[in-house]
């Protein structure tokens, strides 16, 4: 239940004799009111009730900020996902390289089995070599030759065994690396996909909440989002550029495809459009907005002299004028009258000359001051 505080003002009549009773009475009344207000505010805070209602615009702005934050987090996560994906691909390449090295190592070990077997067979076929053969041989020369052959075979055997042991150790190490890289890569992929999916879900939910709120209020989602994305400070980039040759960076697109205005004019026009929607249930109809120099020449050539501005002098070429339809083009219509009454709240107005010379009720201009 909302708390209601109804404090009446006590009125005191001043004593004709000039005594300070009136002042004291008013002081006591103010003290009582202050105490009561303090008590009520304390109760409201303790019970979780806001003492001041949140404006609808504040709620909409809060939803917009949540959607914007979720979108930015999703964009950042997507960039991080791309970077980590590249790192995973490098790890995958390293895994493939490691597996290739492992395969080559196993091949070397397999190839070494042949000379080891041949060496063992050779030693087996010469049982009379060595010290015993030296003692029983007929000649010293034969004994020395046999001994040298045995020593060479033994040396080769030791070298082969050492190399085989080293390769086997390398094989074990490469196998462990391959298994670790494989498991780490798979885990990273799962974590990346889970994180991205959660951020995608949050972004979708916040965007849906904002969209639903806009629809409940009868506001145009496209126009609202266009206004959010338009930075009015970008209008400064038009400084120094000739009429009809404004840089693209200084313009913002309206809710109607293909129509642009200078950034500050576009922002205020889209704000005005939201109020227009609440009044008439539809977006403002736009037939003309920013005109580059080429289009100014085209319009000038199509109109009788005096009905279109000389190319390079039109407010359309400054991105600060629109031509409207949807009822606004008829002076005295509900749409025209509404704009005439409210447009200046958003920096827009119907110029005085357009009432008569030439008569253009559809033409509206922007004044940033």
């Amino acid at each position: 239940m909302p708390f209601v505080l109804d404090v009446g003002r006590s009125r005191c009549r001043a004593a004709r004799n000039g005594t300070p009773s009136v002042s004291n009475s008013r002081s006591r009344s103010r003290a009582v009111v202050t105490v009561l207000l303090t008590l009520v505010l304390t109760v409201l805070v303790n019970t979780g009730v806001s003492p001041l209602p949140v404006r609808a615009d504040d709620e909409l702005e809060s939803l917009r900020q949540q959607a914007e934050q979720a979108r930015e987090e999703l964009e950042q996560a997507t960039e991080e996902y791309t970077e980590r994906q590249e790192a995973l691909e490098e790890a995958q390449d390293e895994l493939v390289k490691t597996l290739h090295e492992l395969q080559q190592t196993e091949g070397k070990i397999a190839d070494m089995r042949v000379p080891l077997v041949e060496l063992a067979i050779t030693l087996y076929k010469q049982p009379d070599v060595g010290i015993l053969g030296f003692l029983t041989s007929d000649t010293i020369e034969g004994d020395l030759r046999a001994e040298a052959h045995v020593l060479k075979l033994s040396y080769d055997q030791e070298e082969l065994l050492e190399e085989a042991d080293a390769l086997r150790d390398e094989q074990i190490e490469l196998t462990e690396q391959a298994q670790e890289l494989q498991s780490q890569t798979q885990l990273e992929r799962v974590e990346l996909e889970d994180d991205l999916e959660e951020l995608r879900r949050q972004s979708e939910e916040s965007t849906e909440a904002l969209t639903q709120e806009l629809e409940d209020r009868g506001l145009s989602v496209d126009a609202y989002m266009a206004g959010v994305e338009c930075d009015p400070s970008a209008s400064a980039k038009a400084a120094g550029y000739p009429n009809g040759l404004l840089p693209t960076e200084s313009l913002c697109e309206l809710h109607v495809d293909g129509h642009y205005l200078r950034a500050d004019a576009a922002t205020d026009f889209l704000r005005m459009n939201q109020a227009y929607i609440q009044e008439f249930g539809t977006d403002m109809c736009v037939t003309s907005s920013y005109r580059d120099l080429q289009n100014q020449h085209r319009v000038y050539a199509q109109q009788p002299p005096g009905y279109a501005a000389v190319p390079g002098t039109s407010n359309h070429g400054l991105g600060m004028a629109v031509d409207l339809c949807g009822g606004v083009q008829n002076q005295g219509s509900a749409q025209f009258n509404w704009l005439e009454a409210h447009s200046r709240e958003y920096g827009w107005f119907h110029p005085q000359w357009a009432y008569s010379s030439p008569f253009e009720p559809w033409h509206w201009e922007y004044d940033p001051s």
Side-chain angles (χ1 to χ4, degrees), residues 3 40 42-50:
F3 290 89
V40 170
T42 303
V43 171
L44 289 175
V45 171
N46 291 336
T47 55
V49 179
S50 175

Side-chain angles (χ1 to χ4, degrees), residues 42 98 107 116 169 171 182 186 208 214-215 238 246 254-255 269 301-302 308-309:
T42 303
T98 301
L116 284 173
D169 293 339
Q171 180 190 34
Q182 190 170 13
Q186 291 175 346
E208 289 175 1
L214 290 170
E215 292 176 351
L246 302 186
L254 302 181
H255 59 284
F269 183 84
Q302 294 173 348

Side-chain angles (χ1 to χ4, degrees), residues 348-368:
W348 286 85
F349 67 100
H350 186 56
Q352 192 62 39
W353 62 260
Y355 284 97
S356 57
S357 180
F359 179 62
E360 294 185 3
W362 53 83
H363 181 87
W364 297 76
E365 296 181 356
Y366 179 69
D367 181 7

Side-chain angles (χ1 to χ4, degrees), residues 112-182:
M112 290 183 65
R113 290 193 179 98
V114 176
L116 284 173
V117 170
E118 291 178 351
L119 182 58
I121 293 174
T122 301
L123 292 174
Y124 177 77
K125 288 181 177 180
Q126 298 184 22
D128 55 345
V129 297
I131 300 300
L132 181 61
F134 178 76
L135 296 175
T136 58
S137 176
D138 294 336
T139 63
I140 294 177
E141 181 180 354
D143 293 337
L144 291 175
R145 186 179 295 110
E147 183 66 20
H149 183 61
V150 170
L151 291 174
K152 179 65 170 65
L153 290 176
S154 298
Y155 177 77
D156 290 344
Q157 183 185 36
E158 289 178 1
E159 271 196 338
L160 287 172
L161 289 174
E162 289 178 359
E163 185 177 355
D165 289 340
L167 287 173
R168 176 56 62 185
D169 293 339
E170 183 179 355
Q171 180 190 34
I172 294 172
E173 183 179 354
L174 288 173
T175 302
E176 292 176 351
Q177 290 180 4
Q179 291 175 347
E180 183 178 355
L181 283 171
Q182 190 170 13

